Amino acid sequence: MAALLCDVGPGDEVICPSYTFVSSINPFVMRGATIVFADSSSSCPNIDIKDVERLITKRTKVIIVVNYAGVGVDVKAIRDVAPGCFIVEDAAQSLMAFTGCAPQGTLGDVGCVSFHATKNISCGEGGALILNNKTLVDRAEIIREKGTNRSSFYRGQVDKYSWVDIGSSFLPSDITAAFLYGNLLEAELITKRRKEVWNLYDQSISTAARIKGIATSRAVLGHNAHIYSLVFKNGDTADNFSFAMRNAGIEVASHYVPLHTSYYGKKIHDGRLLPNAEKYGRCLVRLPNYFSISNEDAFRVIERTLQFIDEKI
């Protein structure tokens, strides 16, 4: 829906971080836009604003920012370097997270939230579109109803509804919505528990990790504890850690393969090196965090992590 609302097409350039999931850019690729991959920041996986500034041309129409792990991008700084461009805030991981006092997803022209099964608040699949640009609201209503003015019909504004624009079926089913509603009612409780586990990891692991040159997730204000990760010095150590943890019955996971290094991404990338994105792709490992994890299991994760750091690094 965001890609349709931004009205991108052939000749338009869309700047997007390489370190993200393909959902961030697929809709824009399908509309014929040229994707320009930006590097991540050296301090966190979010997009590097200085790199964005270097990449802007007169053809740049959209800039996609991804709030990785519920850590907000400085959207104001993006606006300052890219006046006139649409900003799409990929807030897939950001429900219940804030940038300053603003809920993430409310800072760009459009915000996109995910309710996929891997997210803090879930209904298995689907998401929500947040509109912060009032000029997009009427068309968004039409696009989500298969390109028809059906919503106007239900409000009694037209006597029949018909096809008036492009669109698709973006509405959730009643069952999906009901499942999501139950999750939303418990959103504060879910977030509170995840933060407890996140803080437990951070208080127990961060000092030992940093002494050995391992970066850990930053305790920034407003995050929603979606991910606690370790970034090792190299990919081999990250692989060895993942193997050791899984051997101990603890499921850990890497994250994205940077899109510019993927099979399809290589076809559309201009060949620039994006070293930070590649570092996160090789070296980042996520520890388990979910609402029902017990303190006992969290301490087992901590014990095994500290053991690896002490013995192997």
Side-chain angles (χ1 to χ4, degrees):
M1 288 184 71
L4 293 172
L5 287 167
C6 293
D7 202 24
V8 298
D12 294 327
E13 291 181 353
V14 175
I15 297 174
C16 178
S18 176
Y19 192 71
T20 186
F21 191 58
V22 69
S23 295
S24 299
I25 67 165
N26 247 341
F28 298 88
V29 173
M30 293 172 69
R31 298 288 296 161
T34 299
I35 303 300
V36 181
F37 291 117
D39 203 3
S40 296
S41 166
S42 59
S43 59
C44 78
N46 285 348
I47 198 167
D48 183 343
I49 296 173
K50 290 182 179 179
D51 201 28
V52 171
E53 188 172 13
R54 287 189 289 267
L55 295 172
I56 293 170
T57 72
K58 62 182 180 181
R59 295 181 297 278
T60 304
K61 191 166 188 179
V62 178
I63 298 173
I64 301 169
V65 299
V66 179
N67 298 325
Y68 183 80
V71 175
V73 175
D74 186 347
V75 175
K76 182 181 182 301
I78 296 283
R79 286 201 187 281
D80 289 343
V81 302
C85 292
F86 283 108
I87 297 179
V88 174
E89 193 179 0
D90 184 334
Q93 302 173 354
S94 295
L95 200 65
M96 304 299 288
F98 293 78
T99 301
C101 296
Q104 290 178 21
T106 67
L107 297 167
D109 294 285
V110 178
C112 304
V113 175
S114 173
F115 300 128
H116 184 265
T118 58
K119 303 304 184 287
N120 294 18
I121 307 299
S122 170
C123 59
E125 191 59 273
L129 187 76
I130 301 171
L131 296 172
N132 309 305
N133 183 332
K134 293 181 179 179
T135 67
L136 303 177
V137 173
D138 290 343
R139 189 168 183 233
E141 186 178 75
I142 290 168
I143 287 172
R144 77 165 185 161
E145 278 281 14
K146 310 164 195 68
T148 73
N149 57 353
R150 188 178 185 184
S151 294
S152 296
F153 170 72
Y154 282 137
R155 288 195 296 268
Q157 295 170 324
V158 294
D159 59 351
K160 295 180 181 178
Y161 70 87
S162 63
W163 182 24
V164 296
D165 201 346
I166 57 175
S168 190
S169 183
F170 291 112
L171 294 168
S173 71
D174 290 347
I175 295 173
T176 301
F179 191 94
L180 176 63
Y181 181 65
N183 269 244
L184 289 171
L185 289 177
E186 303 296 341
E188 291 187 4
L189 179 65
I190 292 168
T191 304
K192 179 176 180 289
R193 175 56 185 160
R194 292 183 71 107
K195 284 185 175 181
E196 289 173 353
V197 177
W198 196 102
N199 289 331
L200 196 59
Y201 286 156
D202 196 52
Q203 292 161 8
S204 304
I205 295 170
S206 60
T207 299
R210 289 165 191 166
I211 288 172
K212 294 294 184 77
I214 304 166
T216 60
S217 293
R218 298 183 302 157
V220 298
L221 291 174
H223 78 93
N224 63 352
H226 181 61
I227 290 171
Y228 191 86
S229 63
L230 308 176
V231 181
F232 292 89
K233 291 181 181 179
N234 57 68
D236 288 342
T237 306
D239 290 343
N240 290 338
F241 174 71
S242 297
F243 179 79
M245 295 295 276
R246 289 170 187 159
N247 225 21
I250 298 169
E251 185 64 27
V252 297
S254 59
H255 218 167
Y256 312 122
V257 174
L259 294 177
H260 76 284
T261 68
S262 64
Y263 174 78
Y264 189 79
K266 289 178 181 177
K267 294 182 179 182
I268 62 175
H269 184 48
D270 57 19
R272 283 174 297 109
L273 296 177
L274 305 177
N276 293 326
E278 292 174 26
K279 175 188 72 175
Y280 294 119
R282 291 192 310 269
C283 304
L284 186 147
V285 181
R286 296 172 290 157
L287 301 185
N289 189 3
Y290 48 94
F291 174 71
S292 60
I293 190 171
S294 66
N295 282 351
E296 181 183 0
D297 282 343
F299 279 119
R300 194 161 70 89
V301 172
I302 291 166
E303 179 185 8
R304 292 289 183 170
T305 299
L306 292 174
Q307 180 182 356
F308 180 88
I309 291 172
D310 182 54
E311 296 178 358
K312 304 296 183 182
I313 299 177

